[in-house]
């Protein structure tokens, strides 16, 4: 449950900057049930009504439960942004991002650095919940385990958020230092689940429907949040629904290359519609090509050409060169995809770790765009 909304199956498409726009969400939503979160929006840009930001808050008419993620570091600005969401009926659910490990953000005390400043974190979440509840909007938070293994924050931050009245807490079970490397620590998710009464959502390394079942069995979480696993595989949401309804014996969707090509063409078409510009839509689609073709025997030249198209006709002509009968490569199942970068020391403002109870709003930590 998120507020009054039942999430069935208990699956959330993780917010991913540059990916989970209205086009990608439609492709995923068509596959199965769940909550499909929009790309992250910066609270300051929303409050300042930056046109590019307002355009990013786009939902299809048939999106029954419009889920929006906000990023903020200032309690007042965050509350103002949430009020704006309520006043203008921009979304049905708001999630706050405390997981971004990008150096330019943590260096200023934002994203995954922020929960360390526990009073400031508490103020942001309390004010946001207060603003959201005036409109009946459930508010959730998404965070990491902490800055690094010596500076973990997730249990304390989860309890603070629960006290503030959040509808659920999602944990990406990595530290900021880990970025996207190594394996997510599902034991930490179990620890958080035991510590909290509000629903806990587990995030990290769900590549297949079976992984979602394993995470639930291992941690007792109320739901799963799925990010990179669906890159180039929107049908993962069909697998997740099948896994949750049929159990471990579900049949995974294994599209042939011809079926994948049809989805690729549709994805590009939807992006062109969403961005209202063919060149721009096709350019945005390029980053998805390698994910869709992962593991399929497709030559380098054709792959490169597919990742450089500027029109839908050009894309479709190239897709027609793929052998439609090639079966889905089973060896790519269960494999990481998307970002898998190396760990890195977390850049923090001077003296950040020594002053947990300082609640001055960090300056310059509002980013234009993001990552989690
Ligand atoms: C390209 C990309 C963009 C992301 N952008 C965001 C974001 O805007 N907000 C956020 O909370 N997390 C963001 N994340 C993190 C994911 O939501 C998720 O927590 C992370 O990928 C771990 O889950 P996974 O193992 O299922 O991928 C992003 C991840 C990727 C790969």
């Amino acid at each position: 449950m998120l507020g009054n909304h039942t999430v069935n199956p208990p699956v959330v498409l993780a917010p991913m900057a540059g990916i989970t726009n209205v086009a990608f969400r439609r492709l995923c939503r068509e596959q199965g049930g769940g909550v499909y979160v929009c790309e992250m929006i910066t609270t300051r840009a929303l409050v300042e009504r930056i046109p590019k930001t307002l355009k990013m808050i786009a939902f299809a008419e048939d999106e029954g439960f419009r889920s929006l993620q906000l990023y903020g570091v200032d309690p007042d600005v965050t509350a103002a942004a949430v009020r704006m969401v309520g006043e203008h009926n921009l979304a049905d659910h708001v999630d706050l991002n405390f997981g971004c490990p990008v150096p330019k953000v943590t260096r200023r005390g934002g994203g995954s650095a922020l929960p360390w400043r526990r009073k400031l974190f508490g103020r942001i979440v309390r004010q946001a919940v207060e603003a959201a509840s005036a409109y009946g909007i459930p508010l959730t938070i998404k965070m990491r385990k902490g800055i690094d293994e010596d500076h973990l924050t997730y249990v304390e931050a989860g309890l603070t958020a629960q006290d503030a009245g959040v509808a659920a807490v999602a944990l990406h079970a990595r530290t900021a230092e880990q970025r996207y490397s190594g394996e997510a620590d599902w034991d930490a998710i179990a620890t958080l689940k035991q510590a909290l009464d509000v629903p806990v959502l587990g995030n990290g390394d769900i590549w297949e429907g079976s992984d979602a079942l394993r995470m639930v069995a291992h941690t007792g979480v109320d739901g799963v949040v799925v990010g990179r696993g669906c890159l180039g595989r929107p049908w993962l949401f069909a697998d997740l629904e099948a896994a949750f309804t049929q159990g471990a014996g579900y049949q995974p969707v294994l599209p042939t290359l011809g079926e994948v090509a049809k989805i690729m063409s549709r994805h590009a078409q939807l992006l062109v519609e969403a961005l209202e510009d063919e060149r721009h839509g096709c350019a945005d689609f390029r980053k998805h090509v390698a994910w869709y073709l992962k593991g399929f025997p497709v030559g380098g030249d054709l792959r490169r050409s597919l990742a450089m198209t500027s029109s839908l006709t050009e894309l479709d002509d190239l897709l027609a060169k793929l052998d439609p009968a090639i079966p889905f490569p089973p060896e790519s199942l269960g494999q990481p995809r998307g970002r898998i970068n190396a760990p890195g020391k977390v850049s923090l403002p001077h003296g950040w770790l020594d002053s947990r109870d300082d609640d001055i709003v960090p300056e310059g930590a509002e980013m234009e765009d993001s990552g989690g």
Side-chain angles (χ1 to χ4, degrees), residues 263-337:
I263 294 176
M264 291 172 76
S265 172
R266 177 125 192 284
H267 191 168
Q269 170 82 44
L270 289 170
L271 279 171
V272 167
E273 281 167 25
L275 299 171
E276 296 167 348
D277 181 275
E278 183 159 358
R279 273 190 88 81
H280 192 177
C282 288
D284 198 59
F285 178 70
R286 294 175 186 173
K287 64 180 135 194
H288 297 272
V289 169
W291 293 324
Y292 277 112
L293 297 181
K294 188 176 158 72
F296 279 108
V298 176
D301 286 349
L302 185 49
R303 275 175 193 269
R304 269 188 296 280
S305 308
L306 279 163
M308 287 184 349
T309 55
S310 312
S311 78
L312 292 172
T313 319
E314 194 187 344
L315 177 69
D316 285 341
D317 286 349
L318 290 167
L319 289 173
K321 296 189 180 168
L322 298 171
D323 177 351
I326 293 179
F328 193 83
E331 63 282 2
S332 77
L333 292 173
Q335 292 300 313
R337 40 178 65 227

Side-chain angles (χ1 to χ4, degrees), residues 14-17 40 69 97 142 172 180 203-205 227-228 370-372:
M16 288 184 279
M40 193 205 73
Q69 189 186 53
N97 176 358
K142 179 165 175 287
H172 175 194
Y180 292 88
N203 175 226
D205 300 351
R228 294 163 298 163
S370 93

Side-chain angles (χ1 to χ4, degrees), residues 29 54 68 85 108 129 155 191 195 206 216 232 254 264 297 319 328 338 369:
R29 286 189 297 120
L54 296 180
L68 183 67
V85 172
R108 307 227 182 233
V129 169
V155 174
T191 302
I206 292 180
V216 170
L254 300 171
M264 291 172 76
L319 289 173
F328 193 83
D369 50 19

Side-chain angles (χ1 to χ4, degrees), residues 233-244:
R233 287 176 76 203
W235 56 89
L236 178 59
F237 291 95
D239 284 356
L240 288 160
E241 178 156 321
F244 278 109

Side-chain angles (χ1 to χ4, degrees), residues 13-19 38-41 69 95-101 142-144 171-174 180 184 203-207 225-229 231 291 337-339 367 370-372:
L13 163 66
M16 288 184 279
I19 310 282
C38 177
E39 290 178 279
M40 193 205 73
I41 302 292
Q69 189 186 53
D95 181 53
L96 294 185
N97 176 358
F98 293 104
C100 181
K142 179 165 175 287
M143 60 182 176
R144 287 188 177 233
L171 177 64
H172 175 194
R174 283 187 172 82
Y180 292 88
N203 175 226
D205 300 351
I206 292 180
W207 312 113
V225 182
V226 179
R228 294 163 298 163
L231 296 175
W291 293 324
R337 40 178 65 227
R339 283 180 195 173
M367 52 193 170
S370 93

Side-chain angles (χ1 to χ4, degrees), residues 163-228:
D163 285 348
V166 296
V169 172
L171 177 64
H172 175 194
R174 283 187 172 82
T175 60
E177 183 180 41
Q178 283 179 287
R179 303 198 184 151
Y180 292 88
S181 68
E183 280 182 18
D185 172 9
W186 289 6
D187 289 343
I189 299 174
T191 302
L192 186 67
K193 172 63 193 162
Q194 281 185 355
L196 300 189
D197 299 321
V198 291
V200 172
L201 305 173
N203 175 226
D205 300 351
I206 292 180
W207 312 113
E208 304 298 332
S210 51
D211 295 329
L213 297 184
R214 273 198 309 115
M215 182 191 274
V216 170
H218 186 84
T219 63
V221 276
D222 303 276
V224 296
V225 182
V226 179
R228 294 163 298 163

